[in-house]
């Protein structure tokens, strides 16, 4: 099989056309998909009206799946491999705890010592307009820094925190942020990460980075802000406009993303994500 690809943007992404991920995919066809994933950083599969089981089964082709122990509030009660991102109200009428998931620049599970290889986000329902997700190419972000800046940041480790937004849990009153902190101690990750499969260097930064290990927050802030601003320059960013039954696969080792709140919150935005485990990276630090 020769994969039919359509580029999504200059910096990132390709749509895989004429494919049904629920049908058997041979080893060689899957090899082509995996090659395209490494080459483009993001793959889009449109019109995939599949079941949760089929979403999980297809995702398993990419590696072992996270059971989301570090984000227990957001995982699906019957499918621990699925993480819910929804503004659908709970059955008691309270707001969904995951309605703001992903609303800052991040790479999935960077706050753990086994950050994700890739994620497969499936859209069940999307607003009439908006609810888009931005993705930044972190290879380009690294490669376009000056040699002086590359040398400066090479030895740095960024201390990453799980939660960045305070949402009170309507049921227990326990702030979500406090729970995330308790389950996930701060983890230091290299600011420059070598992609384990392509060997290319990528910037590994985002809004979850509080400070650099060995530096204060005040000292770290200007450089963190500069690097995030640099990485998210429009020419490095792809903006995904969701359609129901899209499956978007991205490589967390060379991209970061942010969900936008650019939609009418009275309309339903409901997605589910599988998270493929990556290789160990970083170390736990005693205090943030
Ligand atoms: C996520 O960060 O996994 C969710 C992104 C989105 O809702 O668009």
């Amino acid at each position: 099989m020769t994969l039919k690809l359509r580029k999504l943007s200059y910096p990132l992404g390709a749509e895989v056309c004429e494919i049904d991920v629920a049908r058997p995919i041979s080893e060689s066809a899957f090899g082509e998909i995996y090659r395209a994933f490494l080459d483009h950083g993001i793959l889009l599969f449109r019109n995939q009206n599949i079941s949760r089981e089929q979403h999980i089964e297809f995702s398993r082709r990419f590696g072992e799946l996270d059971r989301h122990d570090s984000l227990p509030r957001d995982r699906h009660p019957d499918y621990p491999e699925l993480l819910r991102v929804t503004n659908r109200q709970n059955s008691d009428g309270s707001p969904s705890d995951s309605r703001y998931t992903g609303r800052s620049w991040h790479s999935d599970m960077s706050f753990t010592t086994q950050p994700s290889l890739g994620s497969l986000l499936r859209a069940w329902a999307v607003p009439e307009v908006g609810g888009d997700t931005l993705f930044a190419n972190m290879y380009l972000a690294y490669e376009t820094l000056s040699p002086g800046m590359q040398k400066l940041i090479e030895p740095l480790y960024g201390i990453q925190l799980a939660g960045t937004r305070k949402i009170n849990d309507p049921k227990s009153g326990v702030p979500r942020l406090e729970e995330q902190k308790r389950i996930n101690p701060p983890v230091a990750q290299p600011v420059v990460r070598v992609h384990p499969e392509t060997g290319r260097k990528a910037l590994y930064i985002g809004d979850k980075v509080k400070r650099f290990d060995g530096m204060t927050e005040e000292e770290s802030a200007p450089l963190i802000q500069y690097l995030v601003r640099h990485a998210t320059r429009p020419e490095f960013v792809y903006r995904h406009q969701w359609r129901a039954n899209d499956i978007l696969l991205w490589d967390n080792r060379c991209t970061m993303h942010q969900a936008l709140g650019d939609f009418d919150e009275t309309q339903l935005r409901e997605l589910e994500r599988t998270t493929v485990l990556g290789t160990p990276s970083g170390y736990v630090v005693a205090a943030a």
Side-chain angles (χ1 to χ4, degrees):
M1 165 180 151
T2 304
L3 217 54
K4 269 205 165 164
L5 295 174
R6 184 185 69 85
K7 267 189 85 102
L8 292 173
S9 72
Y10 162 70
L12 273 173
E15 178 180 350
V16 183
C17 308
E18 296 167 25
I19 190 165
D20 177 352
V21 303
R23 292 173 69 97
I25 298 173
S26 69
E27 276 306 312
S28 79
F30 183 75
E32 284 184 49
I33 293 173
Y34 202 85
R35 187 68 249 165
F37 163 64
L38 292 179
D39 288 347
H40 296 278
I42 294 177
L43 293 182
L44 169 63
F45 305 88
R46 283 221 132 118
N47 304 314
Q48 305 296 321
N49 189 8
I50 59 173
S51 66
R52 293 194 165 93
E53 288 81 3
Q54 287 167 328
H55 179 185
I56 292 170
E57 199 182 326
F58 177 57
S59 303
R60 282 214 173 101
R61 297 291 297 264
F62 294 86
E64 192 188 340
L65 299 185
D66 196 340
R67 293 174 69 83
H68 302 114
D69 288 335
S70 57
L71 296 168
R73 287 173 186 236
D74 299 342
R75 72 180 149 193
H76 194 290
D78 303 321
Y79 300 89
E81 301 88 350
L82 293 176
L83 193 82
R84 293 191 298 186
V85 182
T86 182
N87 62 355
R88 185 191 289 277
Q89 287 185 342
N90 298 317
S91 48
D92 63 2
S94 58
S96 158
D97 209 38
S98 69
R99 66 196 185 283
Y100 297 130
T101 292
R103 294 273 184 99
S104 60
W105 283 106
H106 68 285
S107 168
D108 292 331
M109 304 301 175
S110 61
F111 55 88
T112 72
T113 51
Q114 194 173 9
S116 168
L117 175 154
S119 302
L120 294 97
L121 188 61
R122 183 256 169 92
W124 284 101
V126 294
E128 196 187 342
V129 287
D132 302 347
T133 310
L134 302 179
F135 291 85
N137 183 327
M138 302 304 269
Y139 289 139
L140 284 180
Y142 174 77
E143 288 160 6
T144 51
L145 291 170
S146 65
M149 180 58 90
Q150 289 177 347
K151 200 166 157 206
L152 180 84
I153 64 172
E154 186 86 42
L156 296 181
Y157 276 71
I159 296 182
Q160 308 236 4
L161 303 183
T164 45
R165 184 184 269 267
K166 282 196 172 102
I167 304 171
N168 286 324
D169 177 3
K171 285 200 200 97
S172 65
V174 178
R176 176 188 170 95
L177 191 68
E178 289 309 311
E179 183 187 277
Q180 287 191 347
K181 269 194 203 159
R182 188 168 45 73
I183 302 176
N184 303 292
V187 164
Q189 293 288 359
V191 171
V192 180
R193 223 181 146 195
V194 179
H195 192 293
E197 294 184 88
T198 65
R200 284 173 74 183
K201 286 182 179 173
L203 203 55
Y204 201 43
I205 196 86
D207 293 328
K208 291 188 184 300
V209 178
K210 191 174 181 203
R211 65 177 175 87
F212 299 117
D213 202 5
M215 294 190 201
T216 65
E217 261 184 70
E218 201 182 6
E219 289 166 344
S220 309
L223 186 51
I224 295 170
Q225 282 160 17
Y226 168 74
L227 292 172
V228 173
R229 211 170 51 241
H230 167 76
T232 57
R233 279 160 47 177
E235 57 269 39
F236 302 152
V237 170
Y238 164 64
R239 180 175 186 138
H240 186 63
Q241 296 184 304
W242 290 95
R243 290 189 206 159
N245 292 325
D246 277 356
I247 294 184
L248 200 68
L249 159 68
W250 62 84
D251 189 332
N252 281 303
R253 302 161 300 180
C254 58
T255 66
M256 69 171 175
H257 59 283
Q258 178 180 35
L260 299 177
D262 61 339
F263 66 103
D264 176 353
E265 299 266 359
T266 63
Q267 296 182 9
L268 192 61
R269 183 179 190 273
E270 189 158 53
L271 304 99
E272 284 175 1
R273 190 183 93 197
T274 52
T275 315
V276 184
L277 290 169
T279 45
S281 172
Y283 53 87
V284 172
V285 293

